[in-house]
Amino acid sequence: MNMTKIVRTTADLFYPFCLVFGLYVVLHGHLTPGGGFQGGAVMATGAALLLVSRRYEDITRSLRQNTMKLCEAVGLLMFITAGLAGLFAGGAFLYNGLAGAGGLFGEPVAFGANPGGLNTAGLIPLLNIAVGIEVLGGLTVILLYMLSGVKETEP
Amino acid sequence: MITRLLLAMPFLTVAVLLLLALGALLFKRNLIKMLMGLSLMESAVNLFLVAIGYRQDGVAPIFTNVPQTLMVLPTVQALTLTAIVIGVATSAMMLSFAMVIYKKYGTVDVRNIRKLNG
Amino acid sequence: MRTALFTAILLILLAGFLQVAVGLPFGKPARTDMDDYFLAHAQDQAAANNVVTSVVFDFRGFDTLGEATVLFTAVLGVGMMFRKLKPGEEYEHD
C-alpha cells in the first residue's frame, strides 16, 4: 500500500546509503566483520525499505523482478566459475591461487596484527562479491514474491 | 555453586530458549506461532554454537588492528553464519507455505487444515 | 490428556537440558586443535585478516557453495508457490 509522503521521501533518501553501506561490507569482507551474506542482506534491506513504502505496481517499475532473478543467477554462476578457475589453475576446486601471488588481490599478509590492505586475500573478495550479488537478488526476489501474494487494501 | 551457575549462563539461556521453542511447537495451533517457535529454536542453536566457541578473554578472530592474539574459535562462528543464511531461506519457504495455506483454506489453524480436500 | 503428556515431556527435557547446561564449561573449549591451526595459518595460506571469512570462503568453500545453492533453491520454491494462476484456476478462499 502507499504510505505517506514523509515515509516515501525518507525511504528514497536512505536507499542509496543502504546500498553503499552494503557494498562497503561486501568489499571489506576480508578485513573487517562482514562478508558477502551480511552485505547482501544490508543491500536487500534497502530494497525492503522501498517495498514497504510504496504500492506493488509502482515498485515493480523501478525494481524489476527479472533483474533481481538475473542478479541471483549471475552471483551463483560467478561463484562456480571462480571455483572452476581454481580447478584449472591449481588442481583443486576453489583453490586460492591468487593469494600472495601479486597482481589482483595478491599482496601477501604478515602474521599478527596489521592495519590491513584492500588488495589482499586472493579469491576471497571475488567470492564475497559473487555471494553479495546473489544474496541481494535472492532476498529481494523473495520479498517481491511475498508482496505479490498479499492482497492490497487502500485506506 | 552460584558462580558455576553464572558461568554456565549462556547454556542456561540456550536450554530455556529450546524449551520455549518446543512448547510453542507442541501447544500452539496457529501456523505462524509454530513458525515463531522454529525460529526461536534456530536462535537457540546459533547461541549455543557461538557460546561453545568462546575462549576466556578472547577477542573476535580478525587480525585488522587487533590488540592481542588470544582469539575465540573461528570455526563455530563460520558454522553459525551458514546456519543463519539457511535459516533465512527455510523461514521464507515456510512463511510462503503459510500464506498459500491461508489462501487455500482461509485459516492458519492446524486443526482446520488437517483434512484433505482436493 | 495431551496437554499433561506434553507438559511431562517438556519437564523431563528441561531436567536433561539443565543438567547438560550446568555441566558444560563456559570459556574453556575442550578441543581447539583445528581452530588454532586456522588462526595460525589463515594469514599465510589465505592472506586474509578476517579468519571467519577465510574459513567460510577458503577452508570450507565447498560448504559455502552448498549454502548458496540452498538459498537459490529456496527462492525457486517461493517462486513456485506464488506462481501466476492459470485462467479459471482459483483458490477456494481468496
Side-chain angles (χ1 to χ4, degrees), chain A residues 1 10 13 37 52 68 88 95 97 102 106 114 120 124 127 154:
Chain A
M1 76 196 89
T10 315
L13 210 62
F37 291 104
V52 294
M68 289 299 147
F88 287 121
Y95 173 68
N114 56 321
T120 55
I124 294 176
L127 296 182
E154 283 298 320

Side-chain angles (χ1 to χ4, degrees), chain A residues 82-106:
Chain A
L84 286 180
L87 187 64
F88 287 121
F93 192 68
L94 284 168
Y95 173 68
N96 198 343
L98 290 172
L104 183 68
F105 295 126

